[in-house]
Amino acid sequence: MKKCLLALCLCLALPLSGCAAMLERSHVSSAAHVDYTVEEDDDESVLRAETYQGLVKSMLYFIDGHRSGGVIRLYNYTGDVESDLAAAREEVLQDPVGAFAVRALGYESTRILTYYEVKLSITYSRTAREVEAIPEVTGMAGVRQELNRLVSDRQSTAVFMAAYFSGDGGLVDSLLLQGIYDAPEQYCYPNGPEADLDYSITLYPETGTRRIVEVKVNWQDSGQQAEQRVEDLERAASALLEGNPPEGEMHTVEELAAVIRAAHGGLDEAGTRLPLEVLTGSPAQEEGLLLAMEYLCRQCGIEVVTAWGTGPGHCWLIVSTPEGYRHLLPESLYLAPAGEPDGEAPAPAFALYTDQELTAMGYEWPPSLYPVCAEPS
């Protein structure tokens, strides 16, 4: 799947589900079929149906049971059997389990006195155990949680059923990338994960409100390298925090921004994005400043998330403060104002913004994906 730009995809995302939607996990299952019956006692390989919907659900019955075939007897059937069989086959292959697990579905129909007998032959691209193991999640919140788990656990594959989720592959792509940016301790992409990470996303089927989502990732470093990176980053952050103690009991967001400004080697479009390099004095891009700041916030117990949108800038942070959530722009982390040589201008003033204030500055972002930054009531 062609990778999408994160900011654009998120700004086009529909408000499908609030951030507070609860995650539900269960194994994949289908609704009870009521438009068919078992034709013969103790033989569930022969079903009886009388309507088109009964025909479709009979096919799904065999697929849900991961059967290699079966027989459907159509009694009192008033439709065109051949055209309905072709349509039913296509409909079944657009069902999530059918689209995900069925390699081929063939059929033969024969007229026998008072009914039509349809013989099915089914081959699968997935095992029954693979299908049974698929968890089900609800809404965008559930999708995000599965993707965040994929990132934090460095899984090579994640497969889950997304119910009440009508986003496309581009939105899943964007949510995956956001999950990567929201794990700064795992970040190791000099050119960004959009360019450096090998991954694929497939939806079964591509449209609808209930799909199976499959994500495959080829992580570019080993688990041992990742563990070493986490240790090095934690060591660098601890040294900076110990060398810049808070005025109160805990560091504030403003104090951490000052730590970042003192640590990095200046704003540079060709600079680093890696948090460890930012904290150890390297010139940095805006993304690198934000990732380093995000990591320090998490180390100090401050809730923080990377936000993506459009406007004067394309990414920033949303941080928790005693007054509520607030937007923190990368400008607050500059060593000097953009375009000025280091040391020739004072450090920019630290500032936090509400939604209303940031909107007035020309920024736009998908509000359903992020906490509300409201004025105090």
Side-chain angles (χ1 to χ4, degrees):
M1 172 180 296
K2 185 177 181 180
K3 300 178 184 177
C4 304
L5 291 176
L6 180 59
L8 177 60
C9 288
L10 287 178
C11 283
L12 294 176
L14 296 175
L16 303 174
S17 174
C19 289
M22 297 297 292
L23 173 69
E24 297 180 5
R25 294 178 63 86
S26 64
H27 293 299
V28 174
S29 61
S30 299
H33 304 312
V34 296
D35 293 333
Y36 66 84
T37 59
V38 175
E39 175 70 0
E40 298 177 2
D41 292 340
D42 301 324
D43 186 0
E44 295 184 354
S45 65
V46 181
L47 302 181
R48 170 181 176 139
E50 297 186 2
T51 64
Y52 174 77
Q53 284 304 316
L55 173 61
V56 170
K57 292 182 177 179
S58 296
M59 289 183 175
L60 288 173
Y61 173 86
F62 292 120
I63 291 173
D64 287 347
H66 213 78
R67 295 171 177 267
S68 61
V71 174
I72 305 171
R73 292 176 179 170
L74 300 175
Y75 287 89
N76 305 317
Y77 199 84
T78 59
D80 184 304
V81 172
E82 290 304 319
S83 62
D84 285 357
L85 280 170
R89 177 184 181 278
E90 293 305 309
E91 184 172 339
V92 165
L93 293 179
Q94 289 301 304
D95 174 81
V97 175
F100 176 75
V102 175
R103 185 187 304 277
L105 171 58
Y107 59 83
E108 294 180 356
S109 66
T110 305
R111 175 73 178 187
I112 301 177
L113 298 177
T114 59
Y115 62 89
Y116 290 90
E117 183 166 282
V118 180
K119 293 183 179 180
L120 301 179
S121 59
I122 310 169
T123 58
Y124 298 90
S125 57
R126 319 282 179 155
T127 66
R129 180 172 296 181
E130 285 179 293
V131 175
E132 291 170 358
I134 298 174
E136 182 165 334
V137 301
T138 302
M140 189 180 296
V143 172
R144 293 180 74 166
Q145 187 157 335
E146 288 297 313
L147 296 175
N148 290 343
R149 181 180 293 108
L150 170 72
V151 173
S152 62
D153 295 346
R154 294 175 58 82
Q155 301 170 1
S156 60
T157 304
V159 180
F160 53 91
M161 176 77 79
Y164 301 102
F165 176 76
S166 58
D168 60 8
L171 178 56
V172 177
D173 183 286
S174 300
L175 294 174
L176 172 63
L177 292 175
Q178 181 161 7
I180 292 172
Y181 278 101
D182 283 341
E185 69 283 356
Q186 298 279 6
Y187 194 90
C188 60
Y189 313 103
N191 302 303
E194 302 92 332
D196 292 343
L197 185 61
D198 177 22
Y199 67 95
S200 64
I201 296 171
T202 311
L203 274 62
Y204 303 91
E206 292 186 359
T207 61
T209 58
R210 191 168 184 266
R211 272 87 51 78
I212 291 175
V213 180
E214 181 181 48
V215 183
K216 295 182 178 180
V217 184
N218 182 21
W219 301 106
Q220 65 180 30
D221 59 348
S222 67
Q224 184 176 0
Q225 290 174 318
E227 291 176 2
Q228 186 62 53
R229 182 174 57 254
V230 170
E231 292 178 7
D232 293 343
L233 184 57
E234 184 176 357
R235 189 180 302 112
S238 296
L240 286 173
L241 294 174
E242 291 174 3
N244 297 271
E247 292 187 4
E249 294 183 0
M250 301 289 291
H251 283 90
T252 65
V253 174
E254 184 171 3
E255 288 173 333
L256 294 181
V259 172
I260 295 293
R261 289 198 299 269
H264 71 82
L267 181 68
D268 187 342
E269 291 185 358
T272 184
R273 292 188 180 199
L274 305 182
L276 177 60
E277 294 181 357
V278 175
L279 295 181
T280 53
S282 296
Q285 300 180 38
E286 285 189 347
E287 289 87 346
L289 298 178
L290 293 172
L291 284 162
M293 179 64 179
E294 182 181 9
Y295 182 76
L296 290 189
C297 286
R298 294 185 187 277
Q299 290 296 99
C300 294
I302 297 173
E303 188 179 352
V304 58
V305 63
T306 304
W308 296 84
T310 59
H314 66 279
C315 65
W316 58 93
L317 299 179
I318 296 178
V319 295
S320 177
T321 74
E323 292 75 34
Y325 293 106
R326 291 292 182 269
H327 299 274
L328 171 66
L329 299 180
E331 287 86 340
S332 287
L333 307 176
Y334 291 170
L335 182 63
E340 296 289 344
D342 294 349
E344 294 186 6
F350 175 83
L352 297 172
Y353 302 95
T354 64
D355 287 347
Q356 184 176 3
E357 290 169 336
L358 204 65
T359 299
M361 295 166 62
Y363 287 84
E364 296 182 3
W365 64 96
S368 63
L369 296 183
Y370 304 113
V372 175
C373 302
E375 294 283 355
S377 56

